[in-house]
Structure formats: C-alpha cells, structure tokens
Amino acid sequence: MSGFKERADAALADPILKIAVERTTGTAETKRMIAIDAFPDFEAARTRAAAIKDHVIAHLGAYLEQFEANAIAAGAKVHWAETADEACKIVIDICKAAGAGSVARSKSMLGEEIGLPHALAEAGIDRVETDLAEHIIQLADERPSHIIWPAMHKTREQVSALFKARHRSPHEEETIAAMAESARRELRTQMLGADVGISGANFLIADSGAVCTVTNEGNAELSLVPPRVHIVTAGIEKIVPSTPHAIHMLRMLARSATGAALTQYTTFYTGPKRAGDRDGPDAMHIVLVDNGRTKMREEGLAEMLRCIRCGACMNHCVVFRQIGGHAYGGTYPGPMGAVLTPALDALAPNRDLAHACTLNGKCQEVCPVRIPLPTLLKGWREKSWREGLEPASIRAGLGLWAWVAMRPRLYRLGTGIAVRALRLLGTKGWIAKLPLAGGWTRDRDMPKPAARTFMAQYQKERRP
Amino acid sequence: MTKNVALFVTCLVDMMRPRIGFAAIRALEAAGCAVVVPEGQTCCGQPALNSGDRDHAAALAKQTIAALEPYEAVVIPSGSCAGTIRCHYPEIFAHDSVWLPRAQAVAAKTWEVMAYLDQICGWKPQGVSVDARATYHDSCSGLRELGIKAQPRRLLRTIDGLTFAPLAGEETCCGFGGTFCVKYPAISNAIVGEKADAIDATGVDLLLAGDLGCLMNIAGKLHRKGSKVRAYHAIELIAGMGDGPAIGEEA
C-alpha cells in the first residue's frame, strides 16, 4: 500500500471526494452545534462522561468479570480474545458449529479492526452487510472512510450508479427514497435468510450483562433477531457499570455524532430467546476483544480508551476534511485514528499520522469524553523521536536550531545573517521560491523578512 | 497592577516582522508598563516540543525560564508561544522537582499581549483611528489554550473608523501548524486556500490576527491568489501603527 502522503495527495486531487466529505462533515458540524447549544450544561455532561469511562478503565477487570457473570446468567456464552486473529477464529468456529452458510452483519468498527470481513470470506461464509453505508462499500469493494458514515466519501450520484449496476431490481430514479427502497428490497431478503447475525456493541452493561447497539436504520434488530445465532464482538473498553451510565453516554454519543438527541434505534440485548419468547436467536455469543487495549492502558494511552466512537473529532478536523478517511490507511481515521492506529498496528509504518496534524486542538474541544487528542499525538511524536524513526534531515535541522538557540549571542548573529540571506530571495516584499522549503512556496508566497532583526534594532536604538 | 514586564519577542517576530515587537512595547508603555526585553531569550522551544524532541525542548525551556523569571510578568505577542510557556512548560518538567516550580512560576505570570492589556491593565487604545473594514482570524493556540477571543476584539473596537465583518470559520485552523505547513505542504495549502477564500468573501480591507505564523501563512496565500486584503498583527493597529506597511509590503 502506498504511504500516507501519496494517499493524501490522491485525495486532494479528487474534487468529488472533497465535495462529498465537506457535505457530510459540514452538516454534522452545524447540527452538533445546535444540539449542544440546546443541551443544559454540556460541559458538565462531558466531565461526567469522561469520569465514567476513566472509572471503568481503571477497574476494567472487575467490571468485565461482573459483565461476564451477568451475561452468562442471562443465557449468553462469553468468549475472550486477546488478539484480532483469536477473535476471528472464535467467530468463525461459532459460525461453523452452527452450520452457517451466510451471516448478516450489523455495522461494527471492531469487526473492521479485527479483519472479520476478510476472515469470513476466507472461511467461505457469505456475508451481507446490513447497514446501508456498509452495504454501499461492500458493493464497491471498499473500506469504510468514516466510523459513523462509512460511505461518506461517495456522492449520491456514485451510489446511484453502483445500485443500478449491482442490485437485482434497481431503482429507476435517483431520489434518496428510491435508492433506499432499492437497498431495502435487496437487503431484507438476505437478512431474513441469514443463519447468524453478527454485531458490535456500543456499550456493554456490567450489572445486567446487556449489550447495547445503536443504529439509524433498524438494521441491527433485523439482522440479529431472526437468525438462529447472534454473535457480538466488542472491545473490552466498551463496558459501563449500569444502564443509567449507558444512557448518559448515549446522550453524548448521538449529539456529538449527528446532532440528534438519540439514534432512531437503541436496543439492549440481554441473552438469547427465553422460553415463551416469540422471536430471538437460540444462542447468543459475546466475544470480548483486547487486541492491544490492555497494552494501551499500560503504556500511557488510557485516555484513548474513553473513546465512544462518535466521530466528532474527524468531523471537525481540518486535515480530515481535506483528505477524507481512506488517506489515514487504518480502520479508524481522523484524530482518534491517528492515535489508535499506531497502537493497534505499529508506530513505524504510521508515523506520518501523528505528524499530519496542526495541533489546533479542535478535536479535543469537541470530544464528548474530553480525550486530550493533541497531547496523545505529541506522545507518539516523542516516541517516534526516541526510537529514531524521524528522518535524519528533521533531526539535524531541529538539532542545529536548538544548538544555536541555546547560545543567544550566536543566535543573534545567525538570525541576522539568515534574514539578510532571505531578503536576497525576495522581490517587492515577497519571496516566491524558497530553497529547502519549496513546498511552502509552491502554492503561496513568503513575506520577506525585515532588514534587521528586532533584537538588532532594539539593542541599537532601544526604540524603532 | 503589575507594571514591570518582560517582553518575549518570539523568533518569528524577531526575524520576520520586528514592528510587532515594537508595537507591543508601545501599547504596553501606553498602558503604564515599564517594558524590558531580556537578553537571554531566543526561542521558546515549541518547534522541538511539537516535533517530539523533548530533550532540546527542555533545554530551551530552561534557558527561557531562567531569562524570564526575574520579572513580574512576561508578555508575548503570540498566543502560540504564550500557550507553550503557560500550558506546556509545566508538563515538560512534571517529573522534575527542581524545574517544575520554576516552570510553574513563569507559566503563572506569562500572558499573551492583548489578553494582558485587556484583562490585567484594563487598558484601551485612545486617539487611534484606522479607516478600514477588517475581519479577525482566531489563532488556535491562543483561542483554545488561553481563551483569547473577546480581548483583542474589545481592544480593536475602540479604534475610530475600524469596522468589522464576521469571518466564516473564524475559529478554524489556517493550516500553518508550525512545521506542519512544511512537512505536509499540499494539505496545508488546501486548508489555507479555504481560509483565504473565506476572507476574500467578506470583502474587507484588512485581516487581523494575533499570531505571526498564521498571518504569514494566510497573507502568503492571499498574495499568491491576487487578493487585495492586507494583513496585520492586531497589536500593530492597537498600538497606532496601522498606517505602516502590511505584511509583505515594503516600507
């Protein structure tokens, strides 16, 4: 796969992507602002949300055990997976034991994270993505570009063309309603025929063993209730102590993500079908996945485990809004992805992610659980520096700058020479071409510096 | 009220636009302060800190702390550098029992210049007039680390003849980001391109902001696209130096 810069350049060169991303993030930004303005004391609610998550992350083992006991008591089977591969193997084994030929999958970023779609394909199990956006990217054979709107990089026109080419009885018109109807026809039959339903979890509730999922299309309910087996895959950090805590987090999640008070569908699943229930799966399996989370907690990234996957950080990120989600190269894009990807994968191939950020702090300002994303990104930069992953040119340049700046007299001499040299490159106040920093002047000019530095003027004249 | 202040000039102001430093001195003196420019200052270490080079950042922070600690207050014509000293110096020395209290003491008395003039001095420019329409870009570090939003506007509103147009996305980053604009010039250009378009769309004469980094980035883009909008650090107008050359204009 190409590197971050190549992917970013390709994204910048795609005018349709730019329109699609701006359309969705711009709307999300406006709607969130209206929803937050109408929320009584959102700042206090953020503080409480962060405290709830910090508390469970600090006592993760105890809450997970409580959850496990209650989930088992409700009739579910609980599995533990330390790695992505283990998690996939558990899911595949359950599918095989159930004799499943097809699975209906409700959107789950954890599923993407552990590579479940690929694992199911390798095992020869048919998979139907039931979330509309996931359905779109499944048809296009692409990966999600956003955690809330996986197909946000596509325009309505592109989706329409895709449906016309791939649906068995495609719509005639290009209206949203017609397209949704076409997807509904296509998906309903497949959902109802699936042997196994697989979902993620927005929250795992410790004191009841319930799993909470939210969707706006009701696809989770349709893909999890009719099949014989329901499998939940969930990151271990998804735990909350009780239902009231989950409700508080839900209020933060929906408003931060889309500006809605709540999602259209919020469902709590507690165990499989009970005696006397008309509907529901015969068996429920919950796979609790670590995949690096314990290590994150131990290595200074505990605050990142507060993340409730609302996507507000990416919706408000100037960099994400220019390059979209695919440029980030991992499952999770934007600021949260830039922190998570090196933890889930490795730092060396992902070092660009921590640097491709202006540290403007907007992501932290909008995060409903107050994750200090810029600080965590700077942590990766420090690690990258310590481990010698930074390019030699940058190390040498910063080292020279610091060496000179530690010697004020030499610094005055050096800055004096530097401004005189820079002035030679300019005409009429501007420099149109800079050596060594040609990227700056490719698309913008650099103002010409003053004839003499402030310090030189001040020391000589004490006044202008 | 503290009157005896050290001016930390910032490396960009020192090299690229000294008149911002002189404007800060003029405004501070008008507000009744005795201003000193300490000799030992160079760079606050922000480029190293943001690049992950913690050792060099700590060395420069120590030098800066030593240079600034004899004074009653430290005033800086940049929200970004002031934010580094106020918010990040104590983090750098979080596990250093000798330097942490020194860092905290300097952090506690460090101010961005317009915040200092407005909040501490309670001062407003008098007898200053500029006949122009302006718009204001809120620089990210000042806005989010130091809460600088109302202070420059309160100071600027007392200038005769200066009127304001709102800027769409006034709190959105301009894409400068210190070394970001050099490491990822294509992304940075896309971001500043939108900022420049938003500024042009206001139809103003002047762009004002509180950080020279952002101003160089935005003014450089405005100039390349042929815009007539002229850019100043807000303190230049506040100090009555708005009749001088704008960024990129020769004296």
Side-chain angles (χ1 to χ4, degrees):
Chain A
M1 201 197 285
S2 59
F4 172 80
K5 280 185 185 168
E6 289 74 30
R7 294 191 300 265
D9 282 345
L12 289 169
D14 182 348
I16 292 178
L17 174 74
K18 172 73 191 141
I19 293 165
V21 172
E22 193 55 41
R23 205 182 268 172
T24 312
T25 56
T27 307
E29 183 181 22
T30 308
K31 287 188 171 170
R32 176 194 171 274
M33 200 173 65
I34 294 166
I36 298 314
D37 280 347
F39 194 101
D41 206 349
F42 191 69
E43 290 308 308
R46 289 174 75 206
T47 302
R48 176 158 181 249
I52 291 170
K53 289 295 287 192
D54 280 351
H55 172 77
V56 286
I57 298 307
H59 304 92
L60 198 53
Y63 280 113
L64 285 168
E65 281 170 27
Q66 189 190 2
F67 173 81
E68 182 185 34
N70 287 321
I72 291 170
K77 290 194 174 64
V78 178
H79 311 258
W80 299 81
E82 198 160 319
T83 64
D85 286 348
E86 263 179 58
C88 287
K89 186 175 180 306
I90 292 167
V91 173
I92 302 289
D93 287 349
I94 297 166
C95 290
K96 284 183 174 165
S102 68
V103 303
R105 210 166 75 96
S106 171
K107 184 171 93 71
S108 146
M109 292 313 296
L110 182 92
E112 298 293 326
E113 177 192 316
I114 61 176
L116 191 55
H118 179 71
L120 288 166
E122 282 214 322
I125 299 167
D126 280 344
R127 163 179 65 98
V128 54
E129 294 292 344
T130 65
D131 176 86
L132 179 59
E134 291 281 346
H135 171 62
I136 292 165
I137 60 171
Q138 184 177 27
L139 291 183
D141 196 20
E142 291 176 6
R143 300 180 63 196
S145 68
H146 190 286
I147 62 169
I148 301 289
W149 303 284
M152 65 116 66
H153 56 287
K154 290 203 165 317
T155 60
R156 180 197 306 180
E157 295 73 21
Q158 290 173 322
V159 173
S160 174
L162 194 61
F163 282 7
K164 280 184 178 159
R166 304 287 304 276
H167 279 175
R168 282 164 297 189
S169 55
H171 59 285
E172 294 296 322
E173 308 162 79
E174 244 175 41
T175 63
I176 301 248
M179 287 157 66
E181 192 53 45
S182 177
R184 189 174 285 127
R185 277 197 302 272
E186 187 78 15
L187 288 172
R188 286 254 162 118
T189 48
Q190 295 184 53
M191 279 191 223
L192 296 174
D195 301 304
V196 173
I198 303 180
S199 73
N202 290 91
F203 303 101
L204 303 169
I205 299 165
D207 73 354
S208 63
V211 174
C212 173
T213 68
V214 298
T215 70
N216 276 320
E217 297 152 25
N219 60 298
E221 290 73 8
L222 269 181
S223 46
L224 304 179
V225 177
R228 288 179 282 116
V229 178
H230 175 193
I231 306 174
V232 179
T233 57
I236 52 174
E237 85 286 8
K238 292 282 184 179
I239 200 107
V240 291
S242 71
T243 306
H245 293 103
I247 300 289
H248 183 74
M249 304 312 279
L250 280 166
R251 299 178 80 204
M252 306 305 285
L253 173 64
R255 282 176 176 84
S256 300
T258 64
L262 266 184
T263 39
Q264 306 290 337
Y265 297 86
T266 301
T267 308
F268 296 82
Y269 304 87
T270 315
K273 182 161 72 177
R274 284 165 290 254
D277 285 354
R278 276 187 61 186
D279 298 305
D282 299 328
M284 182 187 192
H285 295 265
I286 302 166
V287 187
L288 299 172
V289 184
D290 187 317
N291 198 30
R293 285 161 175 76
T294 304
K295 195 160 166 257
M296 281 171 65
R297 190 176 72 155
E298 287 159 3
E299 294 182 355
L301 289 169
E303 287 154 317
M304 194 61 222
L305 297 174
R306 288 181 198 154
C307 181
I308 55 172
R309 310 287 192 260
C310 70
C313 59
M314 56 198 78
N315 295 341
H316 291 78
C317 171
V318 282
V319 174
F320 180 92
R321 283 168 83 144
Q322 293 299 337
I323 64 176
H326 284 152
Y328 289 81
T331 302
Y332 304 102
M336 55 87 87
V339 176
L340 275 174
T341 304
L344 296 170
D345 181 14
L347 179 57
N350 297 296
R351 64 161 286 282
D352 264 308
L353 298 182
H355 290 275
C357 159
T358 67
L359 298 177
N360 66 70
K362 185 74 186 177
C363 51
Q364 182 175 345
E365 184 182 288
V366 298
C367 176
V369 285
R370 298 191 187 279
I371 300 173
L373 290 156
T375 306
L376 299 179
L377 285 169
K378 281 198 279 184
W380 281 127
R381 293 183 186 187
E382 276 175 32
K383 190 156 196 278
S384 183
W385 189 277
R386 278 200 309 276
E387 294 183 357
L389 300 174
E390 297 304 299
S393 56
I394 290 173
R395 296 185 80 89
L398 270 171
L400 178 65
W401 170 256
W403 190 82
V404 175
M406 284 301 292
R407 291 158 179 80
R409 289 172 68 100
L410 182 66
Y411 178 85
R412 309 262 175 263
L413 191 70
T415 50
I417 294 167
V419 296
R420 279 194 288 279
L422 268 177
R423 281 179 65 81
L424 294 175
L425 300 170
T427 48
K428 284 190 183 170
W430 294 95
I431 301 166
K433 209 168 188 176
L434 267 181
L436 299 175
W440 171 287
T441 45
R442 192 171 56 219
D443 301 296
R444 73 204 110 171
D445 296 315
M446 168 77 90
K448 209 162 103 174
R452 289 157 67 228
T453 65
F454 174 89
M455 283 301 190
Q457 292 183 46
Y458 181 80
Q459 282 168 351
K460 193 151 190 171
E461 304 150 24
R462 298 276 151 182
R463 286 296 174 271
Chain B
M1 187 175 75
T2 308
K3 294 279 187 181
N4 193 12
V5 305
L7 182 71
F8 186 83
V9 178
T10 92
C11 47
L12 276 186
V13 168
D14 183 32
M15 287 192 276
M16 302 303 291
R17 196 163 171 84
R19 64 195 315 278
I20 293 171
F22 290 111
I25 293 176
R26 188 190 277 199
L28 286 164
E29 288 183 345
C33 302
V35 184
V36 185
V37 180
E39 289 282 330
Q41 62 170 289
T42 59
C43 161
C44 69
Q46 189 185 155
L49 184 66
N50 287 350
S51 299
D53 181 2
R54 214 178 168 90
D55 292 344
H56 281 134
L60 285 167
K62 285 179 184 175
Q63 172 175 280
T64 305
I65 290 166
L68 300 177
E69 58 191 354
Y71 305 92
E72 285 177 72
V74 176
V75 179
I76 308 180
S78 156
S80 165
C81 305
T84 295
I85 296 178
R86 259 183 97 128
C87 305
H88 302 302
Y89 275 16
E91 287 168 14
I92 294 175
F93 300 111
H95 305 292
D96 185 328
S97 60
V98 175
W99 280 93
L100 180 60
R102 294 177 71 177
Q104 285 170 330
V106 169
K109 62 184 178 184
T110 294
W111 292 84
E112 189 276 336
V113 64
M114 294 182 284
Y116 189 76
L117 288 167
D118 178 69
Q119 289 170 253
I120 301 300
C121 302
W123 174 83
K124 288 186 190 334
Q126 279 163 11
V128 179
S129 67
V130 176
D131 188 21
R133 285 186 80 223
T135 197
Y136 197 92
H137 163 74
D138 292 291
S139 304
C140 301
S141 301
L143 177 70
R144 302 202 176 90
E145 291 183 343
L146 304 175
I148 293 168
K149 178 84 187 176
Q151 304 93 324
R153 288 170 173 81
R154 273 198 292 266
L155 293 170
L156 288 163
R157 282 196 195 287
T158 63
I159 295 175
D160 282 343
L162 192 64
T163 56
F164 280 88
L167 175 62
E170 63 188 7
E171 293 189 0
T172 303
C173 174
C174 74
F176 175 67
T179 53
F180 171 82
C181 61
V182 183
K183 288 180 186 161
Y184 303 94
I187 304 172
S188 172
N189 173 58
I191 298 169
V192 75
E194 287 188 5
K195 179 63 73 176
D197 290 347
I199 291 163
D200 262 341
T202 61
V204 297
D205 310 303
L206 306 180
L207 165 71
L208 305 176
D211 268 272
L212 183 54
C214 317
L215 281 162
M216 284 169 54
N217 185 38
I218 303 170
K221 188 65 191 177
L222 286 167
H223 186 255
R224 179 65 65 92
K225 76 192 277 270
S227 168
K228 297 277 177 263
V229 176
R230 304 162 75 216
Y232 288 93
H233 192 296
I235 195 67
E236 296 179 68
L237 269 71
I238 289 165
M241 290 167 63
D243 53 352
I247 290 170
E249 291 175 359
E250 291 204 286

